[in-house]
Amino acid sequence: MGDSPLKLGILASGSGSNFEAIAEAIENQQLNAQIQVVIYNNPDAKVVLRAQKFGVPAVLLNHRNYSREELDAEIVKTFRESNVDWVIMAGWMRIVTPVLLDAFPEKVINIHPSLLPSFPGIRAIEQALKAGVKITGCTVHIAHLEVDSGPILMQAAVPILAGDTAETLHARIQVQEHKIVVGAIALLAARSAK
Ligand code: GAR
């Protein structure tokens, strides 16, 4: 296999700023990878516009039409058809099942806006603010079945400042997410080139 690019499939539910960070890093030759396809689940997700900008095919799989397992089966089918090897959940707001995880064993990657194992699950940023911690951050990890669990690839710390709201804190966390998601994929590319 040598140094052939990692073939990525992206799952995104919203704005897609992490998708764009990955696409830009590939364009700038910082990352030896290519994005085969992006799957989104909300018809109005802004990630579609970003995918168009980078010429990446985008496929809508609306979760409202499927059970959790059926959705994951459609995801697997789409990724297989696009020759995806690695799955990146870049703001994927769905709980995944063994249907997806077993199809890509140890190759599904998640981005989470806290320093796991603190504050797993939804509203991680609000959880950190409520707990009164002074430092939070973000984590990129290999996804296991329990929500937001699995081996950690990279983390970044973000201090909580006086007067922070969920929005101001999220904006600073996202700056770090964009760095560590690229760093974590570079790590995987280096590992698979060995
Ligand atoms: C990111 O901040 C990511 O950490 C979070 O969704 C955001 C997506 O942003 N993910 C989760 O909360 C997953 N549990 P983006 O659409 O701009 O990349």
Side-chain angles (χ1 to χ4, degrees), residues 14-19 90-93 110-113 148 170 174 177:
S15 143
S17 70
N18 280 285
F19 161 85
W92 184 243
M93 300 304 184
N110 185 40
I111 309 169
H112 185 75
D148 300 321
H170 194 188
Q174 283 212 310
E177 285 182 344

Side-chain angles (χ1 to χ4, degrees), residues 2-26:
D3 55 358
S4 55
L6 293 194
K7 295 185 183 131
L8 309 179
I10 309 278
L11 292 169
S13 296
S15 143
S17 70
N18 280 285
F19 161 85
E20 179 147 355
I22 298 165
E24 259 177 13
I26 292 170

Side-chain angles (χ1 to χ4, degrees), residues 23-68:
E24 259 177 13
I26 292 170
E27 206 169 78
N28 299 337
Q29 302 191 340
Q30 274 172 266
L31 259 189
N32 186 25
Q34 57 198 41
I35 304 175
Q36 307 292 95
V37 62
V38 54
I39 293 175
Y40 62 106
N41 63 312
N42 289 316
D44 52 0
K46 298 254 178 355
V47 70
V48 180
L49 303 175
R50 302 197 201 240
Q52 278 168 3
K53 191 167 115 186
F54 287 90
V56 171
V59 174
L60 172 65
L61 292 176
N62 190 329
H63 63 275
R64 295 158 192 90
N65 301 333
Y66 308 98
S67 70
R68 283 195 199 285

